[in-house]
Amino acid sequence: MTETLTTPAAARTVPAPRALGSLGLFTVLIGAALPLIDFFIVNVALPTMGRDLAANASVLELVVAGYGLAYAVLLVPGGRLGDLFGRRRLFLGGMAAFGLTSLACGLAPDAWSLVAARVAQGASAAAMVPQVLATIQSSTEGPRRAKAMSLYGATAGLAMVAGQILGGVLVAADLAGSGWRSVFLVNVPVVVVGLLLAVRTVPETRSRRPEPVDGPGTVLLAAALLTLLAPLTEGRAAGWPLWTWLSLAAFPLVTGAFVAVERRADRQGRTPLVPPSLFALTPLRRGLTLMVPFSIGFSGFMFVIAVALQSGAGLGPVAAGLALAPMALAFFLVSLAGPRLVTRFGARVVTAGSVVQGLGVVLILLAVRADWPDVGLVALLPGAAVAGAGQALQLPVVMRIVMSEVPPARAGVGSGVMVTTQQASLALGVATLGTLFLSLVPGMGMRDALVTTLAVQLGGVVVTGLLSLRLPRRVG
C-alpha cells in the first residue's frame, strides 16, 4: 500500500508506515517517561547534592532550571526535525544522547559540571520526546490510537509522581556509595534496553511533506521562553537583580515578535515553526489552555511538598518520597479505567477529575493544619490518593483531546507544541508556587506557608475545572 506524495521536483511514492505494535508502544512510552522522571527525581536529592558538591541554592536551582529550560526551548524544533529526517531516527539519537548525558550527570565532579550536563540532558530529551506522540499519531488509528494516547497520558502523570518517589529511595539506598548520583546513573541501563527494543519494534515515520526548519521562528521561540522562565526560576535565589526584571519586561515584546514572524511566514507560503493553522483546531487550542494551570499546580505541589516534608516535618528522602506513593498508585489504577469512562461520558470526565482533585487538595490542606509537623504517609494518604485519582481523570484525557485533530503530517510539530506547553508550565509551577512558598516561610512559618500555597493551588484547580467546561464534548 502506498500514498502518493507530490513535490515541486516530481511525484514520488512513500511507503505507508507499519503499525506500531504493543512492544513498540511500550518502548516509546519508556522514552516519554524518562525525561519526566528526571524532571522530578532531583527534588528530594537536592539537599544531598548541595552538601556533597558544596553548592549554594542558586546553583542547585540551575540543576533543575537548566534541564527544564533546555527541554522546553528545544521541543518544537525537535518535533520539526523528526518530521523532516524521520521520527525513529530522532528517537534513537535522542535516547542515546539522553543515556550519555545521564552518565555525565552521575559522574559530574563539581556543581557547574552537573549544571552543564543537565542542560545537555534536557536538549537530548527535547530530541526524543516529540517523536513519541508523533509516532503514535502516524502509525496507529481508530480505537488503537485512542488507547495509545490514553496510555501516553497515564504514563506522563505516573512518571511525574514516581520520579519523586524513586529519587528518595535511590538517595537513601546509596547504592555502592553512589548517593545522589544514582538518580542519574539509573537511566543508563534503561536507555540501553530502550535502544535495543526501539531498533526492532519502532517503525520509521516522517511527514509526507518534509518542511525545512524555520530559523527566525526557532530563535524567537527560544528567546520568548528564556525571557520568561530564566528570571522566574533564578530570580529568588539570585535576589531579583535588574536583569530578571528586564527579562520579564522583554517577554511580551519577544512573544509578539514571534507571533508576527510566524503569521508573516504563513501568509508568504513558507512553513512557520508553529503553524497558526494548528490553533484553529478547537480541541488543541482549548486543551492547551487547560493544560497550563493543571501543570503549574502539579509541579508546584510536587516541589513544595518535597521541601516541606524534608525541611519542616523532618522526614528523610525515602519517607518524603513514599508519602506520595498513594497518589501514584491511585493515578495508575484510575487511569486504567479512563478510556472506558471517556467513551461513555466524553470530556466531562475532565470536569469530574478537577472536582475530585480539588477534594484531595482540601484533605491534604486539612491534614497539614491538624497534624503538622507530624505528617507523613498515614496523615497524607487520603488526600494524596484522592488527588491522584482526580489527576488521572484529567491529564490523559486532555492530552488525547489536544492531539485528536492534528493531521499525521504535522504530528511532530503538534506534539512538540503540546509537550512544550506542558514542560514550560511545569517549570512555571516550580518557579511561581515554589517562590511563593519559600518567600512565605520566614514570616509565616513552614506550616502556614504550606497551607497558603495549597490554597493557591486549589484556586488553580477551580480554574482548570471551569476551563474543562469549554472542551469539545466528544473525545476523538
Side-chain angles (χ1 to χ4, degrees):
M1 180 179 176
T2 60
E3 294 181 354
T4 301
L5 169 64
T6 302
T7 66
R12 55 192 175 113
T13 59
V14 176
R18 75 177 192 268
L20 181 69
S22 298
L23 190 55
L25 176 61
F26 171 77
T27 304
V28 295
L29 290 180
I30 291 176
L34 279 174
L36 283 170
I37 288 173
D38 262 54
F39 184 86
F40 288 93
I41 202 169
V42 299
N43 281 350
V44 292
L46 286 175
T48 310
M49 287 180 194
R51 289 192 298 270
D52 189 36
L53 299 176
N56 60 33
S58 180
V59 176
L60 287 177
E61 287 205 9
L62 280 176
V63 172
V64 178
Y67 175 84
L69 286 171
Y71 188 18
V73 163
L74 296 174
L75 273 165
V76 176
R80 174 59 57 82
L81 290 173
D83 288 347
L84 186 62
F85 295 112
R87 292 152 187 156
R88 178 176 176 270
R89 181 180 300 176
L90 263 290
F91 181 80
L92 288 169
M95 179 172 275
F98 192 84
L100 291 173
T101 53
S102 295
L103 181 62
C105 289
L107 299 178
D110 54 59
W112 286 107
S113 298
L114 177 58
V115 170
R118 283 283 282 173
V119 171
Q121 190 187 33
S124 302
M128 174 174 60
V129 172
Q131 319 318 324
V132 176
L133 276 174
T135 298
I136 291 172
Q137 194 81 348
S138 301
S139 56
T140 61
E141 57 185 19
R144 188 170 183 80
R145 179 185 293 173
K147 181 180 179 181
M149 288 298 301
S150 295
L151 287 173
Y152 175 89
T155 299
L158 188 60
M160 290 189 278
V161 182
Q164 203 142 309
I165 298 172
L166 181 62
V169 171
L170 288 173
V171 170
D174 194 21
L175 302 172
S178 58
W180 60 266
R181 298 177 187 276
S182 61
V183 305
F184 301 115
L185 296 176
V186 71
N187 293 333
V188 178
V190 177
V191 164
V192 171
V193 172
L195 287 171
L196 292 174
L197 289 173
V199 168
R200 298 175 60 87
T201 64
V202 177
E204 180 63 282
T205 65
R206 67 183 69 203
S207 174
R208 290 163 51 196
R209 293 196 175 105
E211 300 165 336
V213 174
D214 171 17
T218 300
V219 172
L220 284 170
L221 176 62
L225 290 171
L226 283 170
T227 54
L228 175 65
L229 296 179
L232 288 178
T233 52
E234 280 299 295
R236 185 195 62 83
W240 296 105
L242 179 61
W243 73 264
T244 59
W245 300 108
L246 293 176
S247 182
L248 288 172
F251 169 68
L253 302 177
V254 178
T255 302
F258 170 71
V259 172
V261 165
E262 297 298 274
R263 287 178 175 171
R264 184 170 67 247
D266 205 27
R267 288 195 303 268
Q268 294 175 350
R270 293 183 284 112
T271 304
L273 181 70
V274 180
S277 58
L278 273 181
F279 293 91
L281 302 175
T282 300
L284 180 138
R285 186 177 66 252
R286 294 183 179 178
L288 291 181
T289 302
L290 185 150
M291 189 175 288
V292 171
F294 178 88
S295 299
I296 287 174
F298 198 122
S299 64
F301 169 80
M302 298 295 285
F303 176 80
V304 167
I305 204 71
V307 173
L309 291 180
Q310 290 186 88
S311 300
L315 301 184
V318 172
L322 289 180
L324 297 176
M327 179 179 288
L329 180 61
F331 190 104
F332 174 72
L333 294 176
V334 174
S335 65
L336 296 178
R340 293 192 298 273
L341 293 172
V342 170
T343 300
R344 183 171 181 181
F345 300 108
R348 290 300 172 259
V349 170
V350 180
T351 307
S354 66
V355 174
V356 174
Q357 184 191 2
L359 176 60
V361 174
V362 169
L363 291 175
I364 293 172
L365 189 155
L366 293 176
V368 169
R369 280 182 59 88
D371 299 325
W372 189 266
D374 300 317
V375 293
L377 175 62
V378 175
L380 295 177
L381 191 153
V386 173
Q391 290 162 345
L393 294 174
Q394 296 174 81
L395 184 61
V397 183
V398 172
M399 287 184 163
R400 182 173 158 187
I401 289 171
V402 168
M403 295 295 293
S404 62
E405 294 185 6
V406 176
R410 285 184 163 171
V413 67
S415 63
V417 169
M418 186 184 80
V419 183
T420 297
T421 302
Q422 181 192 36
Q423 183 61 35
S425 300
L426 290 175
L428 274 174
V430 174
T432 53
L433 291 180
T435 297
L436 172 66
F437 171 71
L438 294 173
S439 300
L440 292 176
V441 169
M444 300 179 66
M446 189 72 69
R447 188 198 75 163
D448 290 345
L450 180 56
V451 167
T452 302
T453 306
L454 288 171
V456 172
Q457 187 201 356
L458 183 61
V461 174
V462 172
V463 171
T464 301
L466 293 175
L467 289 173
S468 72
L469 298 174
R470 301 181 68 247
L471 293 174
R473 189 66 183 267
R474 189 181 68 83
V475 180

